[in-house]
Amino acid sequence: MTAKKLKIKKGDKVVVTTGKDKGTSGEVLNVLREENKVLVSGINVKTKHVKPSQAGPGGLEKKEAPIHISNVAIADPKTGKPSRVGYKVLKDGKKTRVSKASGETLD
């Protein structure tokens, strides 16, 4: 099974639309295309208990967990509100992503 092309990329500013972190925004750290999930900084933070080892002291470790891509939306560059993504071909022939809400380019 091939991975689906996604409209959200690493480095994009996104807003969470559903769940416990609804309304919060962050930057995409990683896109997991096979699972249709994204890793967003400061969103869906889980606490993991780590045993002490030679590598580190152990204790409680806070780490971001993946969130499904349908639960996030691109933040509009002008307003910061959630927006959909469209594509536009520029005069020089380049295809670029644009925000549907304001028409601003995302790349």
Side-chain angles (χ1 to χ4, degrees), residues 54-76:
Q54 288 184 339
L60 296 177
E61 180 182 290
K62 293 194 180 280
K63 190 175 181 183
E64 288 99 357
I67 185 170
H68 199 272
I69 203 153
S70 66
N71 296 334
V72 296
I74 290 280
D76 187 56

Side-chain angles (χ1 to χ4, degrees), residues 39-55:
L39 208 62
V40 184
S41 63
I43 306 295
N44 199 21
V45 178
K46 303 292 182 188
T47 304
K48 183 177 180 182
H49 297 262
V50 181
K51 278 182 116 174
S53 67
Q54 288 184 339

Side-chain angles (χ1 to χ4, degrees), residues 6-100:
L6 304 174
K7 296 181 178 185
I8 295 176
K9 297 183 178 181
K10 182 178 177 179
D12 285 346
K13 298 284 182 194
V14 293
V15 178
V16 179
T17 56
T18 57
K20 65 174 185 162
D21 294 318
K22 181 178 180 175
T24 56
S25 61
E27 185 177 336
V28 176
L29 301 173
N30 195 6
V31 179
L32 308 168
R33 287 181 54 208
E34 295 291 328
E35 303 168 26
N36 289 331
K37 293 185 177 190
V38 290
L39 208 62
V40 184
S41 63
I43 306 295
N44 199 21
V45 178
K46 303 292 182 188
T47 304
K48 183 177 180 182
H49 297 262
V50 181
K51 278 182 116 174
S53 67
Q54 288 184 339
L60 296 177
E61 180 182 290
K62 293 194 180 280
K63 190 175 181 183
E64 288 99 357
I67 185 170
H68 199 272
I69 203 153
S70 66
N71 296 334
V72 296
I74 290 280
D76 187 56
K78 277 188 177 176
T79 62
K81 292 183 179 178
S83 174
R84 292 176 296 146
V85 178
Y87 291 96
K88 194 179 214 177
V89 178
L90 302 176
K91 291 181 182 177
D92 62 353
K94 276 189 168 180
K95 185 178 176 182
T96 183
R97 297 180 306 149
V98 294
S99 168
K100 288 278 193 176

